[in-house]
Amino acid sequence: MITLYTFHLSTNGRKVHMALEEAHAAYTITPVNLMKGEQKNPDYLKLNPNGKVPTIVDNGVVMWESIAILLYLAEKFPAANLLPTAAAERARAFQWLVWQPTTFSAPVSALFRQLRFTAEGQRDQTVIDQARAEVAKNAEILAGGLQGREYLAGTCSIADIAFLPYLHVLHELGIPLPSELEAYYKRLAARPSWGKVLAYTG
Ligand SMILES: N[C@@H](CCC(=O)N[C@@H](CS)C(=O)NCC(=O)O)C(=O)O
């Protein structure tokens, strides 16, 4: 049995939650309330010294970093076909799995913090404008990766799962996406696994 430590609204936690659902894994969730600072509790820091979610524990094996966890789950549950086996498609999946946390997510999170967590009078328009521009550029790059494809690397894989929580945030913020990306977002969001993720409210 896998235990997932997460906060229901965490984008990184949602990636792992969705992958567990896609894999039909046996798992339980232990909520870590980020609003109450529970990620900094000494007992949780013993599992994840970063004081962040998600973390998983699988038969005594403790793991953090959402992308590492996605790779672990894809390998542990090969029947779910969450990572292509052919070298070229697998490399494509790795490329997007690296690009998502290193490039795509930061401006999305910056925009979310400004527009959802900062009082209107205290927002930084320079930060907002810069984040919007980076999001728009990255959205074009991601849409380019989808030309002629339904998913980033063959069938639906952990590469797609890594992006969905961030596309969801952009959707919630009403940020327009290129049409290919909008269609891709809707395709992924229609998966029952994502429905389960959204239904989880801690
Ligand atoms: N690189 C980490 C990032 C984890 C992360 O930033 N998690 C956020 C939630 S999405 C968090 O726990 N924030 C609470 C904090 O920083 O105190 C991963 O991919 O797992």
Side-chain angles (χ1 to χ4, degrees):
M1 173 74 82
I2 297 174
T3 303
L4 166 64
Y5 293 80
T6 193
F7 181 59
H8 64 290
L9 295 174
S10 158
T11 42
N12 289 300
R14 281 176 161 178
K15 296 176 201 171
V16 174
H17 191 178
M18 183 175 182
L20 286 164
E21 281 293 332
E22 287 283 340
H24 301 293
Y27 70 95
T28 55
I29 297 182
T30 298
V32 179
N33 192 327
L34 299 186
M35 298 301 173
K36 294 183 180 163
E38 289 176 358
Q39 74 277 24
K40 310 295 180 200
N41 284 353
D43 279 351
Y44 184 71
L45 288 173
K46 282 182 199 154
L47 294 176
N48 186 337
N50 302 287
K52 292 177 188 293
V53 294
T55 302
I56 64 163
V57 181
D58 183 13
N59 282 322
V61 177
V62 180
M63 201 177 304
W64 37 262
E65 278 303 327
S66 58
I67 298 295
I69 300 171
L70 291 184
L71 288 163
Y72 174 73
L73 295 176
E75 290 189 346
K76 185 174 169 112
F77 297 100
N81 201 21
L82 292 176
L83 193 58
T85 47
E89 286 298 289
R90 202 171 172 88
R92 271 184 73 83
F94 290 156
Q95 170 195 284
W96 293 113
L97 282 165
V98 172
W99 189 74
Q100 180 272 312
T102 56
T103 308
F104 191 79
S105 59
V108 177
S109 301
L111 213 44
F112 186 73
R113 274 193 300 275
Q114 284 290 322
L115 300 179
R116 284 287 183 275
F117 279 115
T118 310
E120 229 174 307
Q122 289 172 355
R123 290 181 189 157
D124 185 331
Q125 198 54 44
T126 309
V127 171
I128 294 173
D129 291 346
Q130 194 177 336
R132 274 188 191 278
E134 282 179 40
V135 163
K137 185 182 86 181
N138 290 339
E140 289 298 338
I141 292 172
L142 188 55
L146 287 163
Q147 291 300 317
R149 294 171 168 267
E150 289 206 327
Y151 299 102
L152 289 168
T155 53
C156 182
S157 75
I158 51 173
D160 306 294
I161 290 171
F163 283 96
L164 179 55
Y166 293 92
L167 295 174
H168 177 78
V169 168
L170 293 175
H171 202 257
E172 293 277 292
L173 293 176
I175 306 293
L177 297 174
S179 57
E180 306 90 326
L181 203 51
E182 181 67 25
Y184 170 71
Y185 163 71
K186 288 192 174 137
R187 192 175 309 129
L188 288 175
R191 296 181 79 84
S193 58
W194 183 245
K196 290 272 181 61
V197 170
L198 291 186
Y200 172 68
T201 54

